[in-house]
Amino acid sequence: MTRMPPSVGTVVDWAAGVMFRILFAASVLFLVIPIVVSVVLSFDDRQFLGPFPPTQFSLRWYRSFLDNPAYLEGLIVSLKLAVLSTLISTAAGASAAYVLSAGRWPGRDVVEMLFLSPKFVPTVVIGFSILGFASAIQVFDPFTRLIMGHVVITIPFTVRATLASLIGIKRSLMEAAISLGAPPWRAFLDVTLPLARTGIVAGGLMAFVLSFDEVAVSLFLSDPFTQTLPIVLVAEMRANLNLTVAAVSTVFAAVTVLIVFFLDRVVGLDRVIGQGLYRG
Amino acid sequence: MIVSGLEATVQQPRLSAFQWALLAPGAVLLVVLLVAPIALMAVVSFRPFIAGRVGSGAGWTVRNYTELIEPAYAFYFYDTLRIGFIVSAIALLLATPLAWQAARTKRRAMRVSILGLLIGLLFMSLVARLYAIQMTWGSNGPLAFFGTLIGIPARSAGYAAIQVAIGLLHFVVPMAAIILIGTFQNINPKLEEAAASLGAPRWRVALTITLPLAVPGLLSAFMISFAMCISNFVVPLILGRGIVLFTTNLMYVRFSDVANFPSGAAIGIIMFALAGFVVYALAGFVRWLAPAEARP
Amino acid sequence: MNGLSRRDLLKISAATGLGSMGLPGVDPALAQQGEQLLVVMWGAAWIEVSRKIVDAYVAKTGDKVAWELHAGGAMAIVAKVKPAWPRVNYNLISGWDPVFRAMIKEDWIEPVTLDEMPALKDIPPVFFQKNDKGQLMSVPLSTAGAFWGYRTDLVDKPIESIEQLLEPRFKGKLCVPFPVNLTGLLMLTLAMQRGGNERNIEPGWQFLKELAERGQIGRVINNNSEFINAMSSGETSVAFFNIGAWTQVRKQFPVKIMSKIKDNKGFLFNEGFAVIKQSDPKKVAAAKRLANHFATPEINEQYNWPLGEGPTNPKSKANPDIADVFYKPDELAQYAYIADFEFMASQVDSWAKRWEQEIAPLIRRS
């Protein structure tokens, strides 16, 4: 399907190939164009969101981005929050996944459902309910509240990723270690943990990205002195919509390109996604 | 989505103390941070609201629920589900060629570029992307003519739904594509080669060999897209022009604009129940269609 | 007229400073302090001018100011404060009459006195919100209004009455606030068009339904910046909103504000600060100093000029551009209206629900 030697194939084949290429191009363009447009608009000199393309260019929106300390403060809060909640949810999620993978035991399904359920509870519901709960138990510190919310939404991802990687680990390895006289916790530390590492790291990465980009939960749980970057963005833009947002998008895009580049160099994108059974 | 990742290999009657110790922290966290707050929210949803004041009053009432029986609210649920359904279907259409190309191309540069694009989009803030979409597809954007092409001019109210759909698509296409890459990579290309070498045209191979093998992956990509669309909040908030409201937005209005916490809680409980129902029904449906591969 | 007499209206008009010359203000002696204050302000022009004023103030006094922006209508802040009270660190919250009423009810506001805040002596008493004991509970900074208006470059012939908005040429061209915004003034203006009032709002709903059914409503906005963008992009051409936001659109595009139409009225109200109760008396004192600074003649003028709102301090001059919008004393009875915001605030919850049930689906389907 990817390559279509003209000699082969019926008209249908040819049409399907063309369709495929068109769809492929359409989806790449669909994903990329908005980012290109916002890069261009970030250099627009006009005061308001005028028609495209801009006629005069300036760096004013980058200046306004840099002049506003809220973005940098938001970035710091977001990083701290993402790191802490990722650590907590990875520790709690990975160890729970290990127990969940240890065969059948009474109540296992209920516990598994408990661990995976935050994934399908709408995030607004989680944010709203934790806000009420936190004030009922007298927790008013916004950062604590944010951690509470972010741990909940990230746990299912760490559990699931770890579970997936544990499938590949033979129970017999673990049992062998135990039968050789290792206590269960040693077998866990020395055998299971290293083997499950890929899954744990993948889960942690997911958790980090999810926490860093989260809006709904943070909208309920933050306060003016402790706002995450996405909340700062939404708040600034709702109160003050102008092309600073284009500058912000451009900066985000640039940082993303760097991250992806290093991810490819250091880990290899293939390993992030996985090669599958029949590649390579 | 809910189905376990593991088949039971060993029947184990009870957990050891060590296993309990591993399970406990996460379980306690979730009971305290998920179950208890939602239980409290359920309680609040039966409290009366006193107009002109903030928060909830004393006493008990079912009014917060009876108000929501109004047919108009069914419309919001319907609208949310409908847009979610359409977007998930288009997302599959757009994600499939990306995923197929990434999974099957022989050129490393092509594969790495697609993977880089998809992973990059996951990393790039959704809020920043949504504003980029507003600038691109909004009424002054360079792609606004698209609306006129399909008979819904960008300046008309109906275009708000289109914009929301575009925002949701940008959100779910990369996720769906990543899921599908896994699916396509695990379909043995030899099968197709064999069929092709027997003289079958490629379209027939695609329909009779590849597609059936890909169905479980396509279904789970659809399911995940759908679940992510209907519980989304930011996309309609930023792109809906105040005209397209998802149930999540209704709930936020209760909280932020009119400070009617009991009513917000009631909507929350209904959404909680609905989301649970939708996810279980879909998971059951996938299991029924493709019993062997129900696990996304 | 809801407890406000014609004399009150006259006072308001006098105090907007329109037509009066005004005297340059003098800064009060500012003590060297160094308190950290958190002030809630609106975005766009409001925060711009406030930042300018406060930067100079900070340099002089050593007090520090952090800003938070209203994300929706000012009423949203009330919802945000509620679950956290009394652990909130806001010192000043900018708001307007109905927001102040709600906060007085919750007992969050620190009363202000003329002794502590000498600049308030100039401001006419009718502008203040008071509690049951008659204490002053708000620091009025601007006289503002909410009016219908349109972009004259996008509307082919002038609009005489808002009944005309039902005409086919306005399909999808109307921009209206969500009824919670402006505490439901949209509902009131529509009701008054059809002979209703605050307590007889039904005619307003009928009018709104007609507009929604015909697909006239192209955009529902929640705050100033959404309004400014909707009207600047030309997405919509006719709207009902507050004068401050209109002024921002007028800076770029020709706009006619219909504050004087025969069969309807414009709404007047006051914006300003509420001093929020805090346990630390030094912070409260610093907040009052800052609020007082905004009320001094010179600063009050500087603040209101770019907003296109009327200064509350009679010694301040008003921006001449808004002279055609606001009223001369003899026009007040005919064109201006002061709504019973306390009553309206008790209704917005049910209005918001009715909007969700009856209006929003019509707009979506039209």
Side-chain angles (χ1 to χ4, degrees):
Chain A
M1 223 167 195
T2 49
R3 231 160 278 168
M4 197 76 49
S7 56
V8 189
T10 59
V11 179
V12 183
D13 258 3
W14 177 81
V18 170
M19 276 281 289
F20 180 88
R21 275 148 209 257
I22 290 176
L23 258 184
F24 178 79
S27 57
V28 170
L29 289 177
F30 175 78
L31 293 174
V32 173
I33 285 182
I35 295 157
V36 174
V37 169
S38 67
V39 171
V40 175
L41 280 178
S42 68
F43 297 101
D44 191 348
D45 191 37
R46 283 170 300 191
Q47 283 272 8
F48 54 97
L49 299 180
F52 192 85
T55 43
Q56 278 181 320
F57 295 88
S58 81
L59 289 174
R60 61 189 296 172
W61 304 114
Y62 288 91
R63 273 196 295 276
S64 113
F65 171 57
L66 292 175
D67 282 351
N68 192 340
Y71 294 110
L72 187 65
E73 284 162 19
L75 177 68
I76 292 167
V77 171
S78 276
L79 285 175
K80 276 203 314 210
L81 178 63
V83 167
L84 261 173
S85 43
T86 300
L87 285 179
I88 297 174
S89 73
T90 309
S95 48
Y98 167 68
V99 182
L100 286 170
S101 73
R104 297 239 143 236
W105 38 273
R108 183 190 170 283
D109 288 348
V110 177
V111 175
E112 184 178 24
M113 200 179 85
L114 174 71
F115 273 97
L116 296 182
S117 59
K119 207 167 163 182
F120 73 84
V121 180
T123 44
V124 244
V125 175
I126 293 179
F128 187 91
S129 67
I130 289 185
L131 179 68
F133 182 73
S135 79
I137 60 165
Q138 305 278 308
V139 171
F140 294 103
D141 175 52
F143 196 74
T144 314
R145 283 193 311 217
L146 283 167
I147 295 256
M148 289 162 70
H150 283 231
V151 165
V152 170
I153 54 165
T154 51
I155 273 191
F157 293 88
T158 62
V159 171
R160 175 162 285 289
T162 314
L163 266 180
S165 71
L166 285 172
I167 297 179
I169 301 173
K170 293 229 166 65
R171 276 190 61 77
S172 49
L173 274 178
M174 174 87 180
E175 275 153 14
I178 293 175
S179 70
L180 287 173
W185 62 270
R186 267 242 81 98
F188 174 73
L189 281 183
D190 290 349
V191 179
T192 315
L193 213 54
L195 288 171
R197 203 180 52 206
T198 349
I200 296 174
V201 170
L205 199 67
M206 285 282 278
F208 186 91
V209 171
L210 202 75
S211 159
F212 193 77
D213 201 23
E214 158 57 36
V215 178
V217 168
S218 310
L219 203 54
F220 286 94
L221 302 180
S222 59
D223 89 346
F225 285 112
T226 313
Q227 292 193 321
T228 64
L229 187 58
I231 298 302
V232 173
L233 265 181
V234 173
E236 288 287 327
M237 292 312 132
R238 288 199 83 191
N240 219 349
L241 184 59
N242 58 39
L243 287 170
T244 313
V245 77
V248 176
S249 296
T250 307
V251 171
F252 263 107
V255 172
T256 305
V257 169
L258 282 180
I259 291 178
V260 170
F261 181 77
F262 281 110
L263 206 61
D264 187 40
R265 277 294 135 97
V266 178
V267 196
L269 292 178
D270 266 339
R271 290 190 56 193
V272 176
I273 297 281
Q275 285 272 18
L277 297 174
Y278 304 102
R279 272 194 77 90
Chain B
M1 245 178 138
I2 307 305
V3 195
S4 135
L6 267 193
E7 286 308 317
T9 47
V10 182
Q11 197 73 27
Q12 192 179 340
R14 40 201 289 266
L15 296 177
S16 68
F18 174 67
Q19 285 172 316
W20 273 117
L22 286 179
L23 196 59
V28 170
L29 274 177
L30 284 173
V31 168
V32 173
L33 299 180
L34 184 74
V35 180
I38 290 182
L40 181 73
M41 187 170 78
V43 172
V44 173
S45 72
F46 289 104
R47 294 285 187 194
F49 168 71
I50 299 155
R53 285 214 45 181
V54 182
S56 60
W60 302 96
T61 178
V62 291
R63 234 194 115 213
N64 302 312
Y65 287 95
T66 49
E67 277 173 353
L68 295 173
I69 297 174
E70 274 288 313
Y73 288 105
F75 176 76
Y76 289 97
F77 284 102
Y78 166 74
D79 209 27
T80 307
L81 296 175
R82 190 178 62 111
I83 293 179
F85 191 87
I86 296 173
V87 166
S88 311
I90 301 177
L92 278 196
L93 205 63
L94 291 179
T96 303
L98 286 177
W100 183 263
Q101 195 69 287
R104 287 296 163 86
T105 184
K106 303 257 176 346
R107 284 173 287 170
R108 191 185 126 79
M110 171 67 108
R111 177 170 162 92
V112 171
S113 327
I114 298 175
L115 295 185
L117 174 66
L118 297 177
I119 295 173
L121 286 170
L122 288 187
F123 272 105
M124 193 178 156
S125 157
L126 177 63
V127 176
R129 272 154 68 195
L130 291 178
Y131 282 110
I133 287 170
Q134 190 179 37
M135 289 180 278
T136 309
W137 297 84
S139 49
N140 274 334
L143 293 185
F145 69 89
F146 170 80
T148 320
L149 285 184
I150 59 167
I152 307 173
R155 285 184 182 175
S156 71
Y159 190 74
I162 304 277
Q163 243 183 328
V164 169
I166 290 170
L168 288 172
L169 268 178
H170 217 270
F171 176 46
V172 297
V173 164
M175 311 245 189
I178 286 175
I179 294 170
L180 290 177
I181 289 176
T183 304
F184 294 145
Q185 280 179 173
N186 291 338
I187 295 175
N188 193 341
K190 297 246 159 54
L191 287 175
E192 294 149 35
E193 284 160 24
S197 69
L198 293 174
R202 278 171 172 274
W203 63 271
R204 192 182 281 269
V205 175
L207 279 183
T208 55
I209 310 250
T210 318
L211 187 66
L213 287 172
V215 162
L218 289 169
L219 277 178
S220 71
F222 181 85
M223 207 171 81
I224 289 172
S225 306
F226 187 64
M228 288 198 317
C229 285
I230 61 173
S231 63
N232 192 281
F233 164 75
V234 242
V235 177
L237 178 82
I238 293 174
L239 298 177
R241 292 190 188 176
I243 288 174
V244 177
L245 297 170
F246 278 15
T247 36
T248 49
N249 304 105
L250 289 186
M251 187 174 165
Y252 186 66
V253 168
R254 291 293 189 285
F255 160 76
S256 80
D257 291 352
V258 290
N260 185 341
F261 287 35
S263 174
I267 299 179
I269 292 295
I270 292 178
M271 277 172 50
F272 174 68
L274 191 82
F277 172 77
V278 166
V279 169
Y280 272 97
L282 279 173
F285 180 66
V286 173
R287 231 172 305 160
W288 175 74
L289 264 182
E293 279 209 62
R295 282 172 253 114
Chain C
M1 196 164 274
N2 303 312
L4 272 156
S5 65
R6 199 181 127 80
R7 257 183 68 225
D8 289 336
L9 282 171
L10 286 174
K11 278 192 244 164
I12 293 173
S13 121
T16 53
L18 293 160
S20 75
M21 279 304 291
L23 302 163
V26 186
D27 265 328
L30 298 163
Q32 194 70 33
Q33 291 294 327
E35 292 296 328
Q36 167 87 38
L37 297 174
L38 175 59
V39 183
V40 184
M41 185 44 76
W42 290 282
W46 283 261
I47 184 68
E48 253 171 58
V49 63
S50 302
R51 277 214 175 101
K52 259 182 229 153
I53 292 172
V54 165
D55 285 348
Y57 177 83
V58 163
K60 248 190 276 178
T61 62
D63 284 344
K64 291 210 172 62
V65 176
W67 299 100
E68 181 181 338
L69 301 178
H70 284 299
M75 200 57 109
I77 199 77
V78 178
K80 224 178 157 184
V81 169
K82 177 70 181 178
W85 188 262
R87 280 158 217 261
V88 294
N89 25 30
Y90 299 124
N91 299 104
L92 292 174
I93 294 183
S94 57
W96 58 302
D97 299 335
V99 178
F100 297 145
R101 294 307 325 163
M103 290 182 170
I104 291 170
K105 264 194 190 164
E106 299 287 341
D107 196 23
W108 294 342
I109 300 185
E110 182 79 29
V112 296
T113 62
L114 303 184
D115 294 337
E116 293 167 301
M117 301 175 61
L120 301 187
K121 286 179 188 153
D122 296 330
I123 294 176
V126 61
F127 288 168
F128 290 88
Q129 294 296 323
K130 302 177 187 76
N131 63 4
D132 297 340
K133 295 180 210 150
Q135 289 170 299
L136 306 181
M137 304 301 280
S138 64
V139 183
L141 296 178
S142 318
T143 296
F147 310 103
W148 287 94
Y150 58 93
R151 287 235 335 232
T152 49
D153 55 333
L154 298 178
V155 170
D156 47 4
K157 50 181 194 275
I159 303 173
E160 309 279 323
S161 156
I162 61 169
E163 285 292 341
Q164 287 173 287
L165 299 182
L166 291 163
E167 292 169 10
R169 62 183 169 132
F170 295 118
K171 189 169 165 57
K173 292 294 170 215
L174 233 62
C175 167
V176 296
F178 185 63
V180 169
N181 224 284
L182 298 175
T183 311
L185 280 181
L186 172 73
M187 295 318 303
L188 183 55
T189 179
L190 293 172
M192 286 169 67
Q193 182 68 33
R194 297 285 173 89
N197 58 41
E198 292 92 332
R199 286 170 172 79
N200 174 22
I201 207 78
E202 200 48 40
W205 286 105
Q206 293 315 317
F207 195 1
L208 187 57
K209 259 188 218 170
E210 289 171 36
L211 290 169
E213 260 168 2
R214 296 186 192 195
Q216 311 300 83
I217 298 172
R219 173 102 200 197
V220 182
I221 47 107
N222 272 301
N223 58 35
N224 289 328
S225 86
E226 285 181 8
F227 170 85
I228 294 164
N229 280 301
M231 293 305 286
S232 307
S233 68
E235 198 174 289
T236 52
S237 50
V238 191
F240 175 79
F241 213 50
N242 70 61
I243 183 64
W246 274 121
T247 302
Q248 308 314 311
V249 180
R250 289 224 291 184
K251 287 178 186 164
Q252 312 277 357
F253 303 100
V255 164
K256 165 84 184 149
I257 290 172
M258 302 150 72
S259 58
K260 294 158 197 169
I261 34 179
K262 277 189 218 108
D263 55 355
N264 209 314
K265 290 184 191 265
F267 300 106
L268 294 180
F269 48 82
N270 288 113
E271 294 174 1
F273 280 134
V275 180
I276 305 303
K277 285 191 172 169
Q278 289 292 346
S279 51
D280 182 356
K282 277 195 282 184
K283 288 224 175 200
V284 173
K288 286 182 175 170
R289 279 199 304 275
L290 179 60
N292 184 70
H293 182 59
F294 270 81
T296 56
E298 191 191 348
I299 301 299
N300 198 237
E301 179 174 321
Q302 190 189 342
Y303 175 73
N304 283 294
W305 197 280
L307 301 182
E309 298 185 339
T312 47
N313 194 322
K315 293 176 184 162
S316 313
K317 244 189 297 183
N319 187 331
D321 291 349
I322 53 168
D324 62 317
V325 176
F326 282 103
Y327 308 106
K328 296 187 185 73
D330 57 318
E331 293 173 332
L332 279 165
Q334 191 187 350
Y335 295 119
Y337 189 81
I338 293 183
D340 181 350
F341 286 117
E342 189 138 13
F343 177 75
M344 305 230 318
S346 69
Q347 300 299 306
V348 286
D349 172 64
S350 62
W351 291 353
K353 284 182 188 153
R354 192 160 172 191
W355 170 279
E356 284 168 5
Q357 290 165 9
E358 297 177 17
I359 307 300
L362 284 179
I363 300 176
R364 266 297 271 130
R365 286 191 191 123
S366 63

